[in-house]
Amino acid sequence: MITRRIGAAAFTLVLAAGLAACGSDDGGGDDGAGGGAGGESIKVGIKFDQPGLGLKEGNTYTGFDVDVANYVAKELGKTDVQFVQAPSKQREDLIATGQVDLIFATYSITDERKQKVSFAGPYFIAGQDLLVATDSTIKGPKDLDGKKLCSVTGSTSADNVKKEVPGVNLQEFDTYSKCAEAVSKGQLDALTTDDTILAGYAAQDQYKGTLKVVGAPFSEERYGVGLKKGDTALCEDVNKALTKMVEDGAWDKAVEANFGPAGFKVDAKTNPPKLDACS
Ligand code: GLU
């Protein structure tokens, strides 16, 4: 059972561990695994506007994806992690063009995406849900007919809801933070994406008491680590690092530090997930 008592202190520890990683090279060393990821530095795609997952504030990066990325980078022997913003619809291109080596950005593993990129993981399983005004009567996708819904271009969230609720008036933005703002202003009725992301917005000071997560997930989102298609060696190295992160307790700590403050309950039946084989 995952407890959620450890707040800021654990967060600081996780951060400190991430920083300490910058000065050491006790990971796998640079064994050339993954053509795109050679050398001491690694370019990692994350979200910049998803509190609890990937958030950039000044030169500080925080969130569960950031912690997992820093852990994996250290295990790969990388001493310099360069974070690059990876909006949902650009993720496949960022990998294919070598602008990033790895992506940790609430990136669901799907067959369609596997045509263009490969995935290590999954390292977390989330579910699609809805963020609405606290006084909203929307309780699930069945209440969305004719409603103004927001999601993000190139996401599974937008694709799923288009199939599930053809009668919805879906507006697709490029980031979820813009959607949250529009819902909070009453311009749109709901935002749909992963429950992890929604919990982060609902807990933000500016939205506390205004927005709530419905809490009835209707999909399974298996977060993978995106990498160049066919780089099985890199995929296996990442999976090794993910296994170690779970075994040594760092994964649990990252869950508690990043999801705990938002009160997000991690489903311990599905998390941490079993890894897929690299192909
Ligand atoms: N996990 C979903 C996806 O990969 C939604 C979140 C996102 O867009 O990053 O599309």
Side-chain angles (χ1 to χ4, degrees):
M1 186 64 200
I2 294 158
T3 59
R4 258 160 290 278
R5 279 176 296 107
I6 311 165
F11 190 45
T12 313
L13 277 176
V14 171
L15 270 183
L19 289 174
C22 296
S24 69
D25 188 14
D26 60 353
D30 179 23
D31 59 6
E40 297 290 291
S41 68
I42 189 162
K43 287 169 284 174
V44 174
I46 58 163
K47 294 297 182 72
F48 277 8
D49 68 331
Q50 296 180 186
L53 289 146
L55 186 68
K56 181 178 194 283
E57 290 169 299
N59 289 324
T60 308
Y61 300 91
T62 55
F64 182 67
D65 281 340
V66 170
D67 287 347
V68 180
N70 276 325
Y71 188 102
V72 169
K74 185 189 171 204
E75 290 302 310
L76 295 176
K78 305 298 174 185
T79 50
D80 172 30
V81 180
Q82 292 164 17
F83 289 113
V84 176
Q85 188 170 21
S88 294
K89 86 163 183 302
Q90 292 174 31
R91 291 175 291 201
E92 289 83 30
D93 277 352
L94 287 169
I95 293 170
T97 55
Q99 291 177 74
V100 299
D101 301 306
L102 297 174
I103 284 192
F104 295 76
T106 55
Y107 196 15
S108 299
I109 301 172
T110 70
D111 287 341
E112 196 184 337
R113 290 171 179 165
K114 276 196 207 162
Q115 313 275 319
K116 296 183 184 155
V117 301
S118 290
F119 287 100
Y123 61 92
F124 194 82
I125 297 185
Q128 184 170 353
D129 211 321
L130 296 162
L131 185 79
V132 296
T134 26
D135 59 358
S136 169
T137 54
I138 296 173
K139 294 212 159 36
K142 61 172 182 4
D143 303 321
L144 291 174
D145 227 12
K147 291 284 189 330
K148 282 184 255 161
L149 180 68
C150 195
S151 199
V152 161
T153 330
S155 68
T156 55
S157 322
D159 287 352
N160 290 343
V161 85
K162 274 186 249 179
K163 279 181 220 141
E164 195 136 337
V165 194
V168 75
N169 174 0
L170 179 67
Q171 322 239 338
E172 293 180 61
F173 291 2
D174 58 347
T175 64
Y176 296 107
S177 53
K178 288 183 194 157
C179 285
E181 201 186 326
V183 176
S184 80
K185 287 183 177 154
Q187 293 160 349
L188 299 172
D189 299 307
L191 153 60
T192 188
T193 188
D194 304 342
D195 45 11
T196 45
I197 301 171
L198 301 178
Y201 293 130
Q204 274 190 314
D205 280 346
Q206 78 228 63
Y207 299 135
K208 249 188 207 153
T210 329
L211 298 177
K212 66 174 182 194
V213 183
V214 165
F218 52 94
S219 79
E220 190 170 81
E221 305 299 321
R222 306 168 73 246
Y223 290 174
V225 183
L227 50 93
K228 196 152 212 141
K229 187 169 163 64
D231 196 340
T232 312
L234 180 57
C235 176
E236 276 162 5
D237 284 350
V238 172
N239 274 355
K240 243 181 256 163
L242 292 174
T243 303
K244 188 171 172 198
M245 188 176 185
V246 170
E247 282 173 3
D248 72 11
W251 184 94
D252 264 348
K253 277 199 191 112
V255 161
E256 287 159 10
N258 293 297
F259 297 137
F264 178 71
K265 299 250 183 304
V266 171
D267 185 350
K269 272 192 248 117
T270 43
N271 286 297
K274 196 174 159 304
L275 301 176
D276 293 346
C278 292
S279 58

